[in-house]
């Protein structure tokens, strides 16, 4: 695997060329959004979460405003009460599609090769699809909800993946992943195409 496929926005996942390393600000922002979503999903106020965790309401408020750097102990206490993990609380969303080109993979002709395409800890429930698109076809416009992730592998042909109105041309063997929350669809030109897709949903 080339250096272009070093760890990316999700834990232990490939990073496409030109993607900046995440900084403290983006980590705090991810924690803020994940904590707020999980707290509201339980219908809890900051005061109720404070009572359950023993973490002050003020600190919880600062965390949700991405203004605080909580200790590991605080993160563990929050994660335990919300029935999740520190990894999930710190999970960063996919801000744009990540694409691995088949031509960039190390696949010698005279030996078996294995390439890690993507790895992550966001999956709970998954759905796996095989799709055949006819020439000049467009798939249904889809969106799978918050924190979902879609992975696609082009088995044959050529497709254009359109995510939030931005097109990404994918050739046979190319692989991509992107936020399932984003509005997206697939199109073909003069030839048919077959894709395999996996949609992963968060554990909660």
């Amino acid at each position: 695997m080339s250096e272009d496929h070093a760890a990316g926005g999700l834990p232990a996942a490939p990073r496409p060329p030109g993607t900046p390393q995440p900084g403290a600000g983006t980590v705090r922002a991810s924690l803020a959004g994940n904590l707020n979503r999980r707290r509201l999903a339980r219908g809890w106020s900051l005061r109720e979460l404070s009572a359950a965790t023993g973490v002050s309401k003020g600190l919880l408020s600062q965390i949700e405003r991405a203004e605080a750097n909580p200790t590991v102990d605080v993160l563990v206490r929050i994660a335990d009460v919300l029935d999740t993990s520190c990894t999930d609380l710190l999970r960063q969303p996919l801000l744009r599609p990540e694409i691995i080109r088949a031509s960039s993979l190390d696949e010698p002709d005279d030996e078996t090769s294995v390439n890690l395409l993507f790895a992550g800890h966001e999956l709970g429930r998954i759905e796996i699809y095989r799709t055949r698109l006819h020439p000049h076809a467009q798939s249904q416009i889809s969106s799978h909800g918050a924190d979902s992730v879609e992975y696609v592998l082009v088995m044959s042909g050529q497709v254009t993946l359109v995510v939030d109105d931005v097109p990404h041309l994918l050739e046979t063997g190319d692989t991509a992943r992107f936020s399932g929350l984003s509005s997206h669809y697939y199109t073909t030109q003069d030839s048919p195409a077959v894709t395999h897709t996996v949609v992963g949903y968060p554990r909660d």
Side-chain angles (χ1 to χ4, degrees):
M1 185 70 60
S2 70
E3 291 180 358
D4 289 342
H5 300 148
L10 291 178
R15 176 177 296 278
T19 302
Q21 291 289 338
T26 58
V27 173
R28 285 196 299 266
S30 296
L31 173 59
N34 291 334
L35 175 56
N36 178 261
R37 176 179 58 80
R38 289 180 177 277
R39 177 176 64 81
L40 294 180
R42 291 191 172 232
W44 285 1
S45 66
L46 284 171
R47 187 181 303 277
E48 289 170 323
L49 182 58
S50 174
T53 60
V55 178
S56 72
K57 177 184 173 183
L59 178 55
L60 291 172
S61 178
Q62 287 182 320
I63 295 172
E64 288 200 5
R65 296 198 305 271
E67 296 175 353
N69 291 316
T71 65
V72 173
D73 177 66
V74 167
L75 285 178
V76 169
R77 286 153 64 186
I78 294 172
D80 285 346
V81 166
L82 294 177
D83 194 26
T84 186
S85 67
C86 293
T87 298
D88 281 347
L89 286 178
L90 295 172
R91 183 176 64 239
Q92 294 183 321
L94 287 169
L95 300 179
R96 63 180 182 180
E98 298 176 359
I99 298 171
I100 296 177
R101 300 295 180 187
S103 59
S104 71
L105 299 178
D106 183 17
E107 296 182 328
D109 293 334
D110 57 347
E111 62 182 74
T112 299
S113 61
V114 178
N115 287 276
L116 173 65
L117 299 178
F118 295 113
H121 303 285
E122 78 282 354
L123 299 185
R125 177 172 61 90
I126 66 170
E127 297 171 347
I128 302 175
Y129 300 91
R130 174 182 169 90
T131 302
R132 185 177 189 278
L133 292 164
H134 295 284
H136 302 287
Q138 176 180 315
S139 69
Q140 180 179 354
I141 298 175
S142 301
S143 176
H144 305 297
D147 289 340
S148 62
V149 177
E150 182 161 334
Y151 301 77
V152 58
L153 170 62
V154 181
M155 304 300 294
S156 65
Q158 181 186 80
V159 301
T160 297
L161 163 65
V162 182
V163 181
D164 290 333
D165 297 323
V166 178
H168 304 273
L169 181 63
L170 303 178
E171 306 280 355
T172 299
D174 288 349
T175 309
R177 71 171 176 178
F178 53 93
S179 169
L181 178 61
S182 301
S183 174
H184 60 276
Y185 60 91
Y186 300 89
T187 65
T188 55
Q189 296 300 319
D190 296 332
S191 302
V194 175
T195 65
H196 285 180
T197 57
V198 175
V199 182
Y201 296 89
R203 281 182 286 274
D204 60 337

